[in-house]
Each structure stands twice: as C-alpha cells, then as structure tokens.
Amino acid sequence: MPEHVMKPGWFTVHVLNRAVTWFTRRGLSVWGARVLAVRGRKSGEWRRTPVNPLTLGEHRYLVAPRGHVQWTHNMRVAGGGQLLGRKVEEFTATEIADDDKPEILRAYLKRWKAEVGVFFGGVGPGSTDEELRAIAPKHPVFRITTKS
C-alpha cells in the first residue's frame, strides 16, 4: 500500500464506521457525516463508507483524508454515487485539480480537523497555500453535483 494511504484499523472498520453508518442511515447524522454509496469499479456492486461532506460557497465536496482509497478509485470510474441519510441524494462527481485544492483543503481541515487531522501530516487550516498544495496530490477531492 502506498505510504500516503493510512489504512483504517480494525476498530474503525468494524465498530466506528458501522456505528456511523447505522446512525446516518436512520437520519441521525453524526457530526454532519453521511454515508457514501458508490458502485465498485470491478464488481458493480454498491460499496458504502462514511464520509464528511463539505459545503464551501455554492459547491459541495468530498475529500479523501486517508488518500487514494477504494472509494476514490471507484468514484473516478463511476463518475458519481449517492449520499445516504434520511434521504438519498444521487450526484455526479468531478475531481478537482491539485492546484485548485488549497482553499477546499483549508475549509475541510477547519471543519473536520479533530476527526481527520492525523491524516494530513501536520498540515492544518492555518497552513500556507504552498503547504496545502504540497499535500494536495495525496488527498483526492471531488465536487459533487446533486441530480435533480
């Protein structure tokens, strides 16, 4: 596994993610989290994982704090997915270029640093654009557009 990917531990996978998913699917958002459903790029089956969506201005984003993980690979192939919660939101996804990520990463870290800051190697919301740009290739970001 590439060094910039932090694989979740047993507790995260088997306890924390399942608990967040269970609550979120019943309309009880845990700190604003949602469940991302995206089709597997090989199996075509729905894959689910908790995510922390970010609203910035008029756009919404999904940021991959753990790096290039399965859901990011699947998203690139599927071109969209669903956000699950009290309601299902179908969306299309557009990947953001690394040079365009600093403002998004700063806002994401400002909102979610307590939960995901460990995955950003000491870079935080107060970091310079240069520091954020340096880590941008390690953290895929997708702008999501809800289908009408």
Side-chain angles (χ1 to χ4, degrees):
M1 181 167 291
E3 70 178 65
H4 60 274
V5 174
M6 292 188 70
K7 188 174 180 181
W10 183 91
F11 182 80
T12 299
V13 171
H14 296 284
V15 178
L16 191 57
N17 282 358
R18 287 181 181 181
V20 169
T21 299
W22 189 87
F23 282 110
T24 303
R25 289 298 309 260
R26 283 150 185 82
L28 301 170
S29 179
V30 180
W31 305 295
R34 299 288 300 273
V35 174
L36 168 66
V38 63
R39 294 236 182 232
R41 63 193 178 281
K42 296 175 185 171
S43 69
E45 294 181 20
W46 287 104
R47 304 294 183 196
R48 292 174 179 79
T49 191
V51 292
N52 298 319
L54 172 71
T55 300
L56 182 61
E58 297 179 13
H59 300 289
R60 289 172 52 192
Y61 300 92
L62 294 177
V63 176
R66 293 179 185 270
H68 298 269
V69 293
Q70 294 301 317
W71 76 259
T72 63
H73 299 300
N74 291 338
M75 184 74 73
R76 287 184 186 110
V77 173
Q82 299 175 337
L83 285 177
L84 310 176
R86 190 167 283 179
K87 63 179 183 170
V88 174
E89 291 182 81
E90 290 193 30
F91 65 87
T92 58
T94 304
E95 192 160 6
I96 302 299
D98 292 340
D99 284 343
D100 298 329
K101 291 179 186 176
E103 178 185 6
I104 300 163
L105 291 173
R106 180 175 285 110
Y108 185 80
L109 286 164
K110 186 175 182 180
R111 171 66 179 96
W112 298 106
K113 186 176 182 194
E115 290 85 8
V116 300
V118 68
F119 306 119
F120 288 87
V123 175
S127 297
T128 65
D129 282 357
E130 183 177 291
E131 291 168 323
L132 290 163
R133 203 168 280 112
I135 66 160
K138 298 177 183 178
H139 300 283
V141 175
F142 296 87
R143 181 175 51 241
I144 59 173
T145 304
T146 305
K147 294 179 179 180
S148 298

